[in-house]
Amino acid sequence: MSGGHFNYMGFDGLDGEWRDEELDELFHDLFVGGDFSIRGYGGLFQSLDFWLSADVGEEAYRKRVKLFKDKWMKRTPKNRVEFYQRKIQDYADKCIAEFGGKVEE
């Protein structure tokens, strides 16, 4: 195990410093707390770190992501589909621009 490659421990000093209760809690969940982390510290960011470092499998990471999204992202299924449709369209537009509006065989 590599133990990760991001320096997420440095975020501790910013925990609770956002001067806004919701932002404080969101920051804590993303970077400091244990509720969404695989090893009980470092927030969801730590879970990503350990997955990218191959210390844990993708399934463990995706489980934490689902828990985080269930708490913080209150999108309806329709909202989620619309979000991804915009992302796909943005990417398509970028590709079209890169190829000058035409794709030749």
Side-chain angles (χ1 to χ4, degrees):
M1 291 205 281
S2 69
H5 58 279
F6 294 125
N7 180 16
Y8 50 88
M9 299 303 278
F11 292 124
D12 286 348
L14 295 173
D15 195 25
E17 293 295 324
W18 292 91
R19 309 307 192 261
D20 180 277
E21 294 299 322
E22 288 177 302
L23 290 177
D24 284 342
E25 186 174 347
L26 176 63
F27 181 86
H28 184 82
D29 288 349
L30 272 173
F31 298 107
V32 181
D35 291 346
F36 303 101
S37 66
I38 290 170
R39 304 260 167 87
Y41 60 90
L44 184 63
F45 185 65
Q46 182 260 7
S47 296
L48 172 64
D49 189 17
F50 280 100
W51 173 48
L52 294 176
S53 300
D55 288 349
V56 300
E58 182 176 1
E59 184 177 320
Y61 168 67
R62 296 292 176 196
K63 179 180 176 184
R64 289 349 184 264
V65 168
K66 182 183 179 330
L67 293 171
F68 182 86
K69 284 184 171 186
D70 287 347
K71 177 177 179 178
W72 288 104
M73 299 177 180
K74 306 295 186 190
R75 291 181 175 164
T76 66
K78 183 178 186 240
N79 295 140
R80 295 186 77 192
V81 167
E82 290 169 350
F83 170 80
Y84 283 109
Q85 284 174 330
R86 283 191 306 275
K87 288 288 190 184
I88 291 166
Q89 187 61 56
D90 290 346
Y91 187 72
D93 293 344
K94 181 180 173 185
C95 290
I96 289 167
E98 182 178 333
F99 292 112
K102 296 182 188 177
V103 178
E104 297 179 24
E105 292 185 35

